[in-house]
Amino acid sequence: MLAGLGRLDEAVELLRDADGHPLTASCGTLAGGRAGVGLGWLALHRLTGESGHLERAAAAGEGLLRLPDLSAALGEHDARGLLHGRSGLALFLHRLARATGEDRFLEAGRLLLHQELDRTFPLPDGALSLSDDARLTRAMPYLATGAAGLATVLTRYAATAPDERCAEALPRLVAGIRVSRVTKEAGLYRGLAGLSWFLTGHAELTGTDAAREDAVRAATGLLKYAVPYRRGVRFLGAGSQRFTADLSSGGAGVLLALHRLLAGPLLTEPRHEPHDETPYEPPYEPHPARPRLPAAV
């Protein structure tokens, strides 16, 4: 964010401090460890082209590959999902492999995804879902923790590094996400905005009318969480305790999801290939065209 606002020196300083923090050495996750810091270095490299930033990202990847016990570097109780589980590490390694051209990072990420898929479970209708961690068995559809986060990463691997197991699991995960039309909260991380963000990206890749309708339906559903306020609207945040404008649970996350749908190629340029982005990186120049993915039925 700082780099995108033109504060490049401050962005580099912040990342250097995070890179050298003791918690980064002991945590590998996207939310609070090496994967998140590495993704930040990759974003700076894409913005500036400076090789030093890519070297730091590669060092973060090497650190993950050298961990003797990866489970100890994840969230507590064998956490699952994008922010605290193996999915987030796999996302970073996928981006790193594409930036460096080193397939070993891609293979390591694929192994992590297979391990995450080992922790999924079937729903009565045949769809797949994921819980928060080893203690819980509840089906979580969300972006931060749940099926949408895992499916976000599977989408990237299935599109650029075809894998039979990932390709088979993806439609079943999407089937469980697309029916989640009502959530407790609106937010990006653990609410309908995150499902809308994922479904929009999935529709861009599949190119089907059904997937497009799923994305529009989820985004339209965000209206029921909007509370009129002065000349606009506002949204309740985590736990519905207060109104907030933050990215994870409040208005900023809702705006990000709506912007992806309304300003992205799905509605404005139907034949244009999508940006390869996550909520953690701005939409830089689009990558070359990628193959279409099979849609969920």
Side-chain angles (χ1 to χ4, degrees):
M1 181 61 73
L2 287 172
L5 293 173
R7 308 301 294 266
L8 185 59
D9 290 342
E10 289 88 342
V12 171
E13 181 180 359
L14 185 65
L15 266 180
R16 282 176 177 164
D17 288 345
D19 213 348
H21 197 283
L23 290 178
T24 304
S26 61
C27 179
T29 67
L30 196 65
R34 283 177 175 162
V37 172
L39 204 60
W41 286 122
L42 285 177
L44 284 182
H45 174 255
R46 293 177 67 183
L47 184 64
T48 66
E50 291 189 21
S51 59
H53 299 329
L54 181 57
E55 291 171 2
R56 286 182 174 268
E62 293 284 359
L64 289 175
L65 266 56
R66 289 197 302 265
L67 286 173
D69 181 13
L70 179 63
S71 61
L74 300 175
E76 292 183 340
H77 308 292
D78 192 31
R80 290 90 194 260
L82 189 63
L83 290 192
H84 302 287
R86 292 166 176 81
S87 298
L89 277 66
L91 175 64
F92 164 57
L93 292 172
H94 180 271
R95 291 290 180 81
L96 183 59
R98 296 188 68 186
T100 62
E102 295 192 33
D103 288 341
R104 61 198 180 94
F105 293 125
L106 199 63
E107 290 304 314
R110 194 197 314 270
L111 177 61
L112 288 169
L113 284 181
H114 286 188
Q115 293 172 355
E116 194 87 300
L117 287 172
D118 289 339
R119 290 158 173 78
T120 61
F121 52 88
L123 299 178
D125 62 358
L128 281 181
S129 194
L130 193 68
S131 65
D132 314 61
D133 53 43
R135 301 171 303 168
L136 303 170
T137 57
R138 60 184 180 178
M140 300 290 280
Y142 304 118
L143 186 64
T145 302
L150 173 55
T152 293
V153 187
L154 280 178
T155 296
R156 281 145 181 78
Y157 276 80
T160 60
D163 176 90
E164 183 177 351
R165 188 176 183 194
C166 292
E168 187 276 333
L170 182 57
R172 296 180 64 193
L173 285 164
V174 175
I177 297 165
R178 64 192 296 225
V179 299
S180 302
R181 300 176 186 177
V182 178
T183 58
K184 180 180 178 181
E185 299 170 7
L188 185 70
Y189 283 9
R190 294 173 69 96
L192 190 61
L195 306 191
S196 171
W197 185 91
F198 165 73
L199 289 169
T200 298
H202 182 259
E204 292 169 0
L205 282 169
T206 60
T208 67
D209 289 340
R212 181 183 183 277
E213 290 171 5
D214 288 338
V216 172
R217 184 186 303 111
T220 304
L222 290 167
L223 290 172
K224 59 180 168 285
Y225 300 94
V227 178
Y229 179 68
R230 294 179 181 174
R231 298 174 63 182
V233 296
R234 56 184 179 174
F235 294 86
L236 288 167
S240 300
Q241 297 296 310
R242 61 184 177 88
F243 293 104
T244 176
D246 67 37
L247 180 69
S248 63
S249 66
V254 173
L255 283 174
L256 183 65
L258 292 175
H259 181 268
R260 181 170 194 182
L261 177 71
L262 296 173
L266 186 62
L267 297 184
T268 60
E269 302 174 40
R271 297 183 183 278
H272 187 67
E273 286 297 326
H275 294 291
D276 182 13
E277 58 182 293
T278 72
Y280 314 101
E281 293 192 23
Y284 302 123
E285 291 301 312
H287 291 288
R290 296 174 297 186
R292 292 290 187 186
L293 296 179
V297 287

